[in-house]
Amino acid sequence: MKLHQLRNATMIIESGDHHILVDPMLGVRKSMGSYTSKRHPPKRNPLVSLPANADALLEKVTHGLITHSQKWGIESLRHGDHLDGPGEAFLRERKTPVITGAKDAPHLRKKMGINVVDALLPWTPRPFLGGQITAVPATHGRGWVRHLMANGVGFHIELPDEPSLYISGDTVFSTDVQRAFTELRPDFAVMAAGSASLDFGGPILMPMDELVAFTRAAPGQVIANHLEALNHCPTTRAGLREELEKHGLSALIPEDGETLEFN
């Protein structure tokens, strides 16, 4: 298995002839507005361009996974950092088979014309490329603010002759994340590590103490992404690495365009 980190949560999982695109944010730098204006400096997003190898990797895509995209079908509540307009067009024009959570599937099919081939219910394994995939609930924030966030899930993926992989999606460190570690025992866990927050409410992703707790609790190797691409995500690669080292922990923290290979 290879994991190609593109930008933010956008990555491609390569297994044999399969190239699985996760959460495509494919727009050019500064193509979206700022997520905050007070708590974090207002800057247009994404903050960085796609890496130079993105086009070649995207040409190989065979399947798509979307952890979350929208809430109540309201365009202003779309989570463009996981499915932006160019990402939507890419999937629709190529008729890419897409798997997502059951709450997002009707909107993606009817409103966006995306080829959703399976709509996953939480904790219900489904066949996937000769193996199986399980949706793990993702809690996108704490307190009242989470009710404004999108219908998120993570994915636990088991493919033939490959290590198992858990993609957390946008979540805080919840009982569902802990259950995924305890019951599913993933060999690798992708952690959304940007510690995002808005101008109101509490964190909508794991703050630093929860990133430490996630890394400590994971039964296998942690891979950190969702970093240094959005104005409301203050955690940096260097800052995360330094904090984990203070606690005797480590994670793989790929740069945009970097490929990780696992046996």
Side-chain angles (χ1 to χ4, degrees), residues 63-157:
H63 297 78
L65 295 177
I66 298 174
T67 61
H68 65 292
S69 64
Q70 54 81 41
K71 190 67 175 281
W72 303 315
I74 300 172
E75 180 62 24
S76 62
L77 295 181
R78 179 201 285 227
H79 287 230
D81 58 324
H82 293 262
L83 181 66
D84 63 359
E88 171 192 340
F90 177 90
L91 295 173
R92 182 176 57 249
E93 292 166 6
R94 296 167 61 103
K95 298 181 173 58
T96 304
V98 168
I99 293 176
T100 191
K103 290 183 178 180
D104 267 346
H107 182 84
L108 296 182
R109 284 174 176 145
K110 296 176 183 178
K111 299 295 184 181
M112 296 186 179
I114 289 176
N115 179 27
V116 176
V117 296
D118 208 348
L120 305 183
L121 295 170
W123 303 112
T124 306
R126 295 283 297 163
F128 181 55
L129 303 180
Q132 66 179 19
I133 186 169
T134 304
V136 177
T139 304
H140 203 342
R142 298 193 184 280
W144 64 269
V145 71
R146 70 183 177 90
H147 297 294
L148 297 178
M149 295 289 103
N151 306 306
V153 295
F155 299 110
H156 183 260
I157 302 167

Side-chain angles (χ1 to χ4, degrees), residues 87 98 133 159 171 191 239 261:
V98 168
I133 186 169
L159 299 177
T171 187
M191 174 175 71
E261 186 167 0

Side-chain angles (χ1 to χ4, degrees), residues 220-241:
Q221 179 71 62
V222 169
I223 303 160
N225 72 357
H226 210 302
L227 292 163
E228 300 180 7
L230 303 170
N231 83 296
H232 68 325
C233 289
T235 296
T236 64
R237 290 176 170 92
L240 176 60
R241 188 176 292 110

